Amino acid sequence: MAFSSALVLTDLNDYIAPSQACIKPVEVNKSENKGPTEIKVDNEGSYYEITQDGGEEKLENATISLNDCLACSGCVTSAESVLISMQSQEELFKILEQNKLAVEHNQPQNYRTIVISISPQSRASFAAKYGLTPLQVHHKLVYFFKNIIGAHHVFDIAFTQDLTLIESAREFVDRFRQYMQNGGEALEAAMQQADAEKAAMEEEGKPKARARRRGARADKSGGSAITNQNIPMLASSCPGWVCYAEKTHGDVLPFISTTKSPQQMMGSLVKDYFAKKLGLTPDQIYHVSIMPCYDKKLEASRPDFFLEQYNTREVDCVLTTSEIDKMFYEQRLDFRHIQEGSVDDMFNKLGVDPSSQLETVYGVPGSSSGGALEYIFATAARELFNIHDVPNDPLSKSSPRVITKTGKNADVKEYFLVADDGRILLRFATAYGFRNIQNIVRKIKTGKSTYHYVEVMACPGGCANGGGQLPPNTESEQVVNAKDWVNHVEDVYRSSRGVLPESNEIIKAIYNEWIVDPSSDRAHQLLRTQYHAVTQNLANPLATKW
C-alpha cells in the first residue's frame, strides 16, 4: 500500500475529534406506543432515548468492526483501502520522477502537466499553525509547489467554491418549486399555522408545541414515511456524510444535492476546460488537491469521477493538510521561511482591495464548511420570495428578516426567513457531526423534518476540524484545547474577505464559455453527480460492493 504515514490505520478515532473514541451511531428500535422520541448525549458520550413524556432510556453502544466503519477522517476500512492506494505523496513523487525521465530521454508523450489545487480550509490551518495570514500562506505554497516540488500550476479551490454555490442554489430553487407544486403549499400552510399556534401558546405561558411537517407519518410496520424527495435538500460536499448515507441510509440519497463539491468542480474545470485551453487531453494532466480531510481521497476515487475515455480521474491524487506539512518536515523546510511565489494562474481568488489598495485573498461569505447554507439561503429568498435584504452571513450581521437559533449544541444552528407578516418562509439548519446527523436522518425518514435545507458535515465543527487538519502548535508555550483551536482556525478562515460568486467576473466568463446552457446534458455531466446505495456481501463482510 502506498499510504502516507500520516494515514493511521490502527487507531480507530473515525469521525469524532482525533482524541475521542470511534462510536458507531446507535440504532433505536422503537415500539409503536412510544410516540416521537429524540436522542440525547450526556457529557460522558452515553446515548439516551427521550420519549415524548420525558422518560429516558440508556442505549447500548453498537459494537464496531472495520466493515462498519464509515471511512471518515482518521482511518479507512479494508474495503476502501484499495480505492485510495493511489492517494499518497509517494504517487506524486512518482509522477515527478516520470517527468524527469521523460525530459532526459526525450519522451514528451510520457510527460504530464502537474496541477495543484489548494483548499481555503487547508490554507487557514497552515496560517493558524505558523502565525501567518492566508495571503502569505497562499504565496508560500505557490513557491513550494512550483519551485521546490516541480508543479506547473497552482489553483485555489475557493475559485470553484463559486461554481458549486451557483449550481447548488440553482438546484435548491428548482427543488423548492417542484416541492411547492407537488403538495408543498399545503404542508407549508399547515406549518405556518402551527407556528402561529405555538407563538400564541408561548405568549399565554403554555408549554411549547412540537413543530412537525404535517401530512407525513410513520407507518405501523416501522417503514419509511418519506412522501417527498425534493425537500429538504441535504448538502453534498462532505464525502464522509455521503459515505455514511450510502452505506446505512440509502433511502435518503434522493434528498442529497447532486451538485459536485468544490474539489470535483475543480476536477471538471482542470480536466476539461483547462486541458482544452492547453491543447492537452485529460490524461496528460496530473491533478492534485490539498484538502482538510482524508474522506476527500474516497471522493476522488469514486467511479462517477473517472473519465473512461481517457483512463484518468478528475482528481488524480488527494493530499491532506497534515501530509503537506509532513513534506515540509521531510525536506527540512521551515514553512515560515519559505519564499513567496507570484500567483500568475487564472483559477485563483486574489485581487486588490479597493479600500487599502493592497493585495488580498478572497473567499466566500459564511463558515469554513463552504458557505453553501448562507449563499443558498440568500439566493432562495431573492428568487423565490423577492426578498433582497438578507445578509450574506446572518450569524455575523443580524437582520429582522432572519431569525437564527442555536440548537442543543453548537453544531446545530437554525436559520428562518421571515415574511413581512411574520410567517416563516424558509427553514435552514446545520448538522455537524454524526450525533446530530442521526437525528436529522431519523426525522426525514419519518416525515417529521420541517427544514428545507440542511448543511450536513461529518466532522463536529465543520471543515475547519477535518481529520487531515493540523493540530495546535506544540512548540507554543500556551496550551490550546481542541475546541479553541478549531475556533481559531475558523476565525482565520473567515478573515479572508467574502465575495459573492456573482461578483467573480472570471467565473461568469468561464460559465458562459464552458457551460453555455446550465440545463443541458453537458452541464449535468460536468457539474452534477449521483449516489449509490451500498450493498454488502454477508458471506464476506469485508467485500463491500460499490
PDB file of all heavy atoms in Angstrom, residues 124 128 368 410-411 413 460-462 464-465 472 480-495:
ATOM      1  N   ALA A 124      -6.143  27.998   5.790  1.00  0.00           N
ATOM      2  CA  ALA A 124      -6.407  28.555   7.120  1.00  0.00           C
ATOM      3  C   ALA A 124      -5.687  27.766   8.201  1.00  0.00           C
ATOM      4  O   ALA A 124      -5.201  28.340   9.188  1.00  0.00           O
ATOM      5  CB  ALA A 124      -7.913  28.564   7.387  1.00  0.00           C
ATOM      6  N   ALA A 128      -2.966  29.319  10.775  1.00  0.00           N
ATOM      7  CA  ALA A 128      -3.136  29.248  12.227  1.00  0.00           C
ATOM      8  C   ALA A 128      -1.893  28.658  12.895  1.00  0.00           C
ATOM      9  O   ALA A 128      -1.438  29.157  13.928  1.00  0.00           O
ATOM     10  CB  ALA A 128      -4.367  28.416  12.562  1.00  0.00           C
ATOM     11  N   SER A 368     -16.447  27.901   7.404  1.00  0.00           N
ATOM     12  CA  SER A 368     -15.404  27.143   6.720  1.00  0.00           C
ATOM     13  C   SER A 368     -15.940  25.884   6.062  1.00  0.00           C
ATOM     14  O   SER A 368     -15.198  25.188   5.366  1.00  0.00           O
ATOM     15  CB  SER A 368     -14.301  26.754   7.716  1.00  0.00           C
ATOM     16  OG  SER A 368     -14.804  25.873   8.703  1.00  0.00           O
ATOM     17  N   ALA A 410     -23.598  23.403  19.746  1.00  0.00           N
ATOM     18  CA  ALA A 410     -23.140  24.449  18.830  1.00  0.00           C
ATOM     19  C   ALA A 410     -23.111  24.006  17.379  1.00  0.00           C
ATOM     20  O   ALA A 410     -23.024  24.848  16.473  1.00  0.00           O
ATOM     21  CB  ALA A 410     -21.745  24.917  19.249  1.00  0.00           C
ATOM     22  N   ASP A 411     -23.172  22.685  17.122  1.00  0.00           N
ATOM     23  CA  ASP A 411     -23.118  22.179  15.756  1.00  0.00           C
ATOM     24  C   ASP A 411     -24.489  22.123  15.091  1.00  0.00           C
ATOM     25  O   ASP A 411     -24.605  21.685  13.952  1.00  0.00           O
ATOM     26  CB  ASP A 411     -22.474  20.792  15.737  1.00  0.00           C
ATOM     27  CG  ASP A 411     -20.969  20.861  15.950  1.00  0.00           C
ATOM     28  OD1 ASP A 411     -20.361  21.824  15.448  1.00  0.00           O
ATOM     29  OD2 ASP A 411     -20.415  19.975  16.617  1.00  0.00           O
ATOM     30  N   LYS A 413     -27.488  24.669  14.154  1.00  0.00           N
ATOM     31  CA  LYS A 413     -27.968  26.055  14.086  1.00  0.00           C
ATOM     32  C   LYS A 413     -29.132  26.104  13.112  1.00  0.00           C
ATOM     33  O   LYS A 413     -29.129  25.421  12.087  1.00  0.00           O
ATOM     34  CB  LYS A 413     -26.857  27.005  13.658  1.00  0.00           C
ATOM     35  CG  LYS A 413     -25.753  27.169  14.692  1.00  0.00           C
ATOM     36  CD  LYS A 413     -24.732  28.201  14.252  1.00  0.00           C
ATOM     37  CE  LYS A 413     -23.713  28.480  15.351  1.00  0.00           C
ATOM     38  NZ  LYS A 413     -22.903  27.303  15.683  1.00  0.00           N
ATOM     39  N   PRO A 460     -17.606  17.293  13.664  1.00  0.00           N
ATOM     40  CA  PRO A 460     -18.074  18.345  14.571  1.00  0.00           C
ATOM     41  C   PRO A 460     -17.249  19.606  14.355  1.00  0.00           C
ATOM     42  O   PRO A 460     -16.024  19.547  14.243  1.00  0.00           O
ATOM     43  CB  PRO A 460     -17.823  17.746  15.960  1.00  0.00           C
ATOM     44  CG  PRO A 460     -17.809  16.267  15.738  1.00  0.00           C
ATOM     45  CD  PRO A 460     -17.201  16.071  14.376  1.00  0.00           C
ATOM     46  N   GLY A 461     -17.903  20.740  14.265  1.00  0.00           N
ATOM     47  CA  GLY A 461     -17.182  21.979  13.994  1.00  0.00           C
ATOM     48  C   GLY A 461     -17.025  22.267  12.519  1.00  0.00           C
ATOM     49  O   GLY A 461     -16.565  23.347  12.136  1.00  0.00           O
ATOM     50  N   GLY A 462     -17.410  21.322  11.653  1.00  0.00           N
ATOM     51  CA  GLY A 462     -17.310  21.547  10.215  1.00  0.00           C
ATOM     52  C   GLY A 462     -15.918  21.293   9.664  1.00  0.00           C
ATOM     53  O   GLY A 462     -15.075  20.654  10.290  1.00  0.00           O
ATOM     54  N   ALA A 464     -13.289  23.088   9.254  1.00  0.00           N
ATOM     55  CA  ALA A 464     -12.106  23.583   9.971  1.00  0.00           C
ATOM     56  C   ALA A 464     -11.536  22.506  10.877  1.00  0.00           C
ATOM     57  O   ALA A 464     -10.347  22.525  11.221  1.00  0.00           O
ATOM     58  CB  ALA A 464     -12.464  24.818  10.789  1.00  0.00           C
ATOM     59  N   ASN A 465     -12.379  21.547  11.255  1.00  0.00           N
ATOM     60  CA  ASN A 465     -11.984  20.471  12.155  1.00  0.00           C
ATOM     61  C   ASN A 465     -11.806  19.155  11.404  1.00  0.00           C
ATOM     62  O   ASN A 465     -11.954  18.079  11.978  1.00  0.00           O
ATOM     63  CB  ASN A 465     -13.037  20.290  13.258  1.00  0.00           C
ATOM     64  CG  ASN A 465     -12.584  19.362  14.369  1.00  0.00           C
ATOM     65  OD1 ASN A 465     -11.400  19.320  14.718  1.00  0.00           O
ATOM     66  ND2 ASN A 465     -13.512  18.614  14.934  1.00  0.00           N
ATOM     67  N   PRO A 472      -2.927  21.866  17.196  1.00  0.00           N
ATOM     68  CA  PRO A 472      -2.303  23.070  17.765  1.00  0.00           C
ATOM     69  C   PRO A 472      -0.789  22.939  17.792  1.00  0.00           C
ATOM     70  O   PRO A 472      -0.238  21.842  17.910  1.00  0.00           O
ATOM     71  CB  PRO A 472      -2.883  23.131  19.186  1.00  0.00           C
ATOM     72  CG  PRO A 472      -4.157  22.363  19.110  1.00  0.00           C
ATOM     73  CD  PRO A 472      -3.940  21.284  18.098  1.00  0.00           C
ATOM     74  N   VAL A 480      -3.448  25.138  24.089  1.00  0.00           N
ATOM     75  CA  VAL A 480      -4.746  25.452  23.476  1.00  0.00           C
ATOM     76  C   VAL A 480      -5.553  24.165  23.385  1.00  0.00           C
ATOM     77  O   VAL A 480      -5.066  23.156  22.854  1.00  0.00           O
ATOM     78  CB  VAL A 480      -4.561  26.055  22.066  1.00  0.00           C
ATOM     79  CG1 VAL A 480      -5.913  26.378  21.444  1.00  0.00           C
ATOM     80  CG2 VAL A 480      -3.674  27.287  22.125  1.00  0.00           C
ATOM     81  N   ASN A 481      -6.771  24.184  23.920  1.00  0.00           N
ATOM     82  CA  ASN A 481      -7.591  22.975  23.810  1.00  0.00           C
ATOM     83  C   ASN A 481      -8.153  22.854  22.402  1.00  0.00           C
ATOM     84  O   ASN A 481      -8.132  23.805  21.615  1.00  0.00           O
ATOM     85  CB  ASN A 481      -8.700  22.954  24.867  1.00  0.00           C
ATOM     86  CG  ASN A 481      -9.704  24.090  24.692  1.00  0.00           C
ATOM     87  OD1 ASN A 481     -10.172  24.365  23.592  1.00  0.00           O
ATOM     88  ND2 ASN A 481     -10.040  24.762  25.792  1.00  0.00           N
ATOM     89  N   ALA A 482      -8.662  21.656  22.085  1.00  0.00           N
ATOM     90  CA  ALA A 482      -9.094  21.346  20.722  1.00  0.00           C
ATOM     91  C   ALA A 482     -10.200  22.283  20.238  1.00  0.00           C
ATOM     92  O   ALA A 482     -10.182  22.750  19.096  1.00  0.00           O
ATOM     93  CB  ALA A 482      -9.556  19.894  20.641  1.00  0.00           C
ATOM     94  N   LYS A 483     -11.161  22.582  21.113  1.00  0.00           N
ATOM     95  CA  LYS A 483     -12.286  23.420  20.712  1.00  0.00           C
ATOM     96  C   LYS A 483     -11.826  24.837  20.384  1.00  0.00           C
ATOM     97  O   LYS A 483     -12.235  25.412  19.362  1.00  0.00           O
ATOM     98  CB  LYS A 483     -13.330  23.458  21.827  1.00  0.00           C
ATOM     99  CG  LYS A 483     -14.575  24.261  21.483  1.00  0.00           C
ATOM    100  CD  LYS A 483     -15.595  24.212  22.605  1.00  0.00           C
ATOM    101  CE  LYS A 483     -16.837  25.031  22.267  1.00  0.00           C
ATOM    102  NZ  LYS A 483     -17.843  24.992  23.349  1.00  0.00           N
ATOM    103  N   ASP A 484     -10.961  25.397  21.235  1.00  0.00           N
ATOM    104  CA  ASP A 484     -10.464  26.754  20.983  1.00  0.00           C
ATOM    105  C   ASP A 484      -9.624  26.796  19.714  1.00  0.00           C
ATOM    106  O   ASP A 484      -9.635  27.793  18.978  1.00  0.00           O
ATOM    107  CB  ASP A 484      -9.644  27.243  22.180  1.00  0.00           C
ATOM    108  CG  ASP A 484     -10.509  27.524  23.404  1.00  0.00           C
ATOM    109  OD1 ASP A 484     -11.735  27.687  23.227  1.00  0.00           O
ATOM    110  OD2 ASP A 484      -9.965  27.568  24.525  1.00  0.00           O
ATOM    111  N   TRP A 485      -8.892  25.712  19.461  1.00  0.00           N
ATOM    112  CA  TRP A 485      -8.058  25.675  18.257  1.00  0.00           C
ATOM    113  C   TRP A 485      -8.921  25.668  16.998  1.00  0.00           C
ATOM    114  O   TRP A 485      -8.640  26.399  16.035  1.00  0.00           O
ATOM    115  CB  TRP A 485      -7.153  24.453  18.283  1.00  0.00           C
ATOM    116  CG  TRP A 485      -6.290  24.332  17.064  1.00  0.00           C
ATOM    117  CD1 TRP A 485      -6.399  23.437  16.048  1.00  0.00           C
ATOM    118  CD2 TRP A 485      -5.182  25.191  16.710  1.00  0.00           C
ATOM    119  NE1 TRP A 485      -5.442  23.658  15.092  1.00  0.00           N
ATOM    120  CE2 TRP A 485      -4.677  24.726  15.477  1.00  0.00           C
ATOM    121  CE3 TRP A 485      -4.575  26.273  17.322  1.00  0.00           C
ATOM    122  CZ2 TRP A 485      -3.594  25.321  14.845  1.00  0.00           C
ATOM    123  CZ3 TRP A 485      -3.496  26.875  16.685  1.00  0.00           C
ATOM    124  CH2 TRP A 485      -3.016  26.402  15.469  1.00  0.00           C
ATOM    125  N   VAL A 486      -9.972  24.875  16.999  1.00  0.00           N
ATOM    126  CA  VAL A 486     -10.877  24.840  15.846  1.00  0.00           C
ATOM    127  C   VAL A 486     -11.521  26.207  15.637  1.00  0.00           C
ATOM    128  O   VAL A 486     -11.643  26.688  14.504  1.00  0.00           O
ATOM    129  CB  VAL A 486     -11.952  23.755  16.033  1.00  0.00           C
ATOM    130  CG1 VAL A 486     -13.003  23.837  14.926  1.00  0.00           C
ATOM    131  CG2 VAL A 486     -11.320  22.373  16.042  1.00  0.00           C
ATOM    132  N   ASN A 487     -11.906  26.862  16.723  1.00  0.00           N
ATOM    133  CA  ASN A 487     -12.490  28.204  16.617  1.00  0.00           C
ATOM    134  C   ASN A 487     -11.486  29.195  16.041  1.00  0.00           C
ATOM    135  O   ASN A 487     -11.851  30.092  15.269  1.00  0.00           O
ATOM    136  CB  ASN A 487     -12.973  28.687  17.984  1.00  0.00           C
ATOM    137  CG  ASN A 487     -14.205  27.928  18.474  1.00  0.00           C
ATOM    138  OD1 ASN A 487     -14.947  27.363  17.667  1.00  0.00           O
ATOM    139  ND2 ASN A 487     -14.408  27.898  19.778  1.00  0.00           N
ATOM    140  N   HIS A 488     -10.213  29.019  16.423  1.00  0.00           N
ATOM    141  CA  HIS A 488      -9.164  29.904  15.905  1.00  0.00           C
ATOM    142  C   HIS A 488      -8.997  29.700  14.396  1.00  0.00           C
ATOM    143  O   HIS A 488      -8.895  30.678  13.627  1.00  0.00           O
ATOM    144  CB  HIS A 488      -7.853  29.635  16.627  1.00  0.00           C
ATOM    145  CG  HIS A 488      -6.682  30.409  16.107  1.00  0.00           C
ATOM    146  ND1 HIS A 488      -6.708  31.792  15.964  1.00  0.00           N
ATOM    147  CD2 HIS A 488      -5.448  30.012  15.678  1.00  0.00           C
ATOM    148  CE1 HIS A 488      -5.538  32.204  15.477  1.00  0.00           C
ATOM    149  NE2 HIS A 488      -4.774  31.147  15.286  1.00  0.00           N
ATOM    150  N   VAL A 489      -8.962  28.440  13.959  1.00  0.00           N
ATOM    151  CA  VAL A 489      -8.844  28.152  12.525  1.00  0.00           C
ATOM    152  C   VAL A 489     -10.047  28.713  11.772  1.00  0.00           C
ATOM    153  O   VAL A 489      -9.910  29.274  10.680  1.00  0.00           O
ATOM    154  CB  VAL A 489      -8.711  26.631  12.280  1.00  0.00           C
ATOM    155  CG1 VAL A 489      -8.690  26.321  10.789  1.00  0.00           C
ATOM    156  CG2 VAL A 489      -7.454  26.083  12.943  1.00  0.00           C
ATOM    157  N   GLU A 490     -11.223  28.591  12.374  1.00  0.00           N
ATOM    158  CA  GLU A 490     -12.438  29.147  11.760  1.00  0.00           C
ATOM    159  C   GLU A 490     -12.326  30.665  11.611  1.00  0.00           C
ATOM    160  O   GLU A 490     -12.687  31.232  10.556  1.00  0.00           O
ATOM    161  CB  GLU A 490     -13.661  28.795  12.619  1.00  0.00           C
ATOM    162  CG  GLU A 490     -14.979  29.344  12.118  1.00  0.00           C
ATOM    163  CD  GLU A 490     -15.508  28.619  10.906  1.00  0.00           C
ATOM    164  OE1 GLU A 490     -15.145  27.438  10.702  1.00  0.00           O
ATOM    165  OE2 GLU A 490     -16.286  29.225  10.145  1.00  0.00           O
ATOM    166  N   ASP A 491     -11.806  31.334  12.635  1.00  0.00           N
ATOM    167  CA  ASP A 491     -11.642  32.793  12.571  1.00  0.00           C
ATOM    168  C   ASP A 491     -10.643  33.184  11.479  1.00  0.00           C
ATOM    169  O   ASP A 491     -10.857  34.174  10.764  1.00  0.00           O
ATOM    170  CB  ASP A 491     -11.166  33.326  13.920  1.00  0.00           C
ATOM    171  CG  ASP A 491     -12.242  33.249  14.996  1.00  0.00           C
ATOM    172  OD1 ASP A 491     -13.435  33.138  14.639  1.00  0.00           O
ATOM    173  OD2 ASP A 491     -11.889  33.279  16.197  1.00  0.00           O
ATOM    174  N   VAL A 492      -9.570  32.405  11.352  1.00  0.00           N
ATOM    175  CA  VAL A 492      -8.580  32.681  10.304  1.00  0.00           C
ATOM    176  C   VAL A 492      -9.225  32.520   8.929  1.00  0.00           C
ATOM    177  O   VAL A 492      -9.017  33.336   8.024  1.00  0.00           O
ATOM    178  CB  VAL A 492      -7.358  31.752  10.439  1.00  0.00           C
ATOM    179  CG1 VAL A 492      -6.427  31.918   9.237  1.00  0.00           C
ATOM    180  CG2 VAL A 492      -6.604  32.040  11.731  1.00  0.00           C
ATOM    181  N   TYR A 493     -10.019  31.465   8.778  1.00  0.00           N
ATOM    182  CA  TYR A 493     -10.715  31.242   7.502  1.00  0.00           C
ATOM    183  C   TYR A 493     -11.616  32.434   7.165  1.00  0.00           C
ATOM    184  O   TYR A 493     -11.630  32.927   6.037  1.00  0.00           O
ATOM    185  CB  TYR A 493     -11.533  29.960   7.585  1.00  0.00           C
ATOM    186  CG  TYR A 493     -12.385  29.695   6.363  1.00  0.00           C
ATOM    187  CD1 TYR A 493     -11.898  28.961   5.290  1.00  0.00           C
ATOM    188  CD2 TYR A 493     -13.695  30.196   6.272  1.00  0.00           C
ATOM    189  CE1 TYR A 493     -12.676  28.719   4.173  1.00  0.00           C
ATOM    190  CE2 TYR A 493     -14.479  29.962   5.157  1.00  0.00           C
ATOM    191  CZ  TYR A 493     -13.961  29.231   4.109  1.00  0.00           C
ATOM    192  OH  TYR A 493     -14.736  29.012   2.992  1.00  0.00           O
ATOM    193  N   ARG A 494     -12.376  32.885   8.154  1.00  0.00           N
ATOM    194  CA  ARG A 494     -13.316  33.979   7.920  1.00  0.00           C
ATOM    195  C   ARG A 494     -12.612  35.322   7.726  1.00  0.00           C
ATOM    196  O   ARG A 494     -13.241  36.289   7.298  1.00  0.00           O
ATOM    197  CB  ARG A 494     -14.299  34.074   9.081  1.00  0.00           C
ATOM    198  CG  ARG A 494     -15.348  32.955   9.118  1.00  0.00           C
ATOM    199  CD  ARG A 494     -16.204  33.053  10.350  1.00  0.00           C
ATOM    200  NE  ARG A 494     -17.258  32.049  10.416  1.00  0.00           N
ATOM    201  CZ  ARG A 494     -18.510  32.226  10.013  1.00  0.00           C
ATOM    202  NH1 ARG A 494     -18.871  33.403   9.526  1.00  0.00           N
ATOM    203  NH2 ARG A 494     -19.401  31.260  10.107  1.00  0.00           N
ATOM    204  N   SER A 495     -11.314  35.395   8.062  1.00  0.00           N
ATOM    205  CA  SER A 495     -10.583  36.658   7.904  1.00  0.00           C
ATOM    206  C   SER A 495     -10.403  37.021   6.433  1.00  0.00           C
ATOM    207  O   SER A 495     -10.146  38.191   6.100  1.00  0.00           O
ATOM    208  CB  SER A 495      -9.220  36.589   8.598  1.00  0.00           C
ATOM    209  OG  SER A 495      -8.347  35.687   7.935  1.00  0.00           O
TER     210      SER A 495
END
